[in-house]
Amino acid sequence: ATVVAGYGAADAAAEVGARVAVDRSEQLLAAGSGATAAAPIVVSGRTWGVIVAAFGHRDAVRGDTEARMAQFTELVATAVANAQSGAELTASRRRIVETADETRERIERDRHLHLHLLIAAERHQLGLHQITARQERGVSPLVVQRGGPHERV
């Protein structure tokens, strides 16, 4: 676990950013703390972290300390869940925009291809009409294919 905040001087390992073992309460008791209290931070049914308090004297702990810590961890869990939901929402919005962009590009590509196919079909149809018109005027298709009515074989 990583220490994200601290108050007091239980020991040097409790500096913000320090890596500590998850069973911190037991370590603090072994290091000479008179008492500890801990409450898990549960987000979406999973343990996200833990809040640990160490006291110099056993009698410094009030009877409602753990209950108050549990209430506090519920607030922390709500904040963490909201932050995670916000991050998930942002990621979801990004995926939606990316999908919309890809779809728009695909539609534009398909539309462009369709227009080219229509133009090619029109050109083909126009060419058939020209050949048919020349045949009706007595011009051989071979003459049309080789270079027009002026080039006779």
Side-chain angles (χ1 to χ4, degrees):
T2 303
V3 176
V4 294
Y7 179 77
D11 68 327
E15 291 181 25
V16 174
R19 299 285 299 166
V20 295
V22 176
D23 59 348
R24 191 77 181 129
S25 287
E26 294 172 16
Q27 286 181 340
L28 290 170
L29 286 172
S33 292
T36 62
I41 301 169
V42 180
V43 179
S44 301
R46 295 178 57 202
T47 300
W48 181 85
V50 65
I51 183 170
V52 179
F55 302 90
H57 301 288
R58 183 174 207 85
D59 58 350
V61 181
R62 292 176 28 181
D64 64 345
T65 299
E66 285 186 353
R68 292 175 66 194
M69 287 178 69
Q71 290 173 343
F72 179 73
T73 60
E74 287 177 17
L75 292 174
V76 172
T78 301
V80 169
N82 287 342
Q84 287 177 343
S85 294
E88 290 170 3
L89 181 61
T90 299
S92 176
R93 285 179 179 160
R94 183 179 60 249
R95 286 190 303 273
I96 289 169
V97 169
E98 288 172 356
T99 301
D101 287 346
E102 290 169 3
T103 302
R104 181 185 47 77
E105 290 170 4
R106 188 181 72 247
I107 289 170
E108 287 295 321
R109 252 191 332 269
D110 291 350
R111 189 171 140 243
H112 186 74
L113 177 62
H114 182 71
L115 287 175
H116 277 290
L117 291 174
L118 284 176
I119 291 169
E122 286 294 321
R123 284 182 178 165
H124 179 71
Q125 195 67 293
L126 181 60
L128 291 178
H129 286 303
Q130 287 177 347
I131 290 172
T132 303
R134 288 181 181 173
Q135 284 177 340
E136 289 174 358
R137 289 192 318 248
V139 178
S140 166
L142 292 174
V143 172
V144 171
Q145 289 176 1
R146 287 192 180 152
H150 301 301
E151 183 182 319
R152 303 238 175 201
V153 178

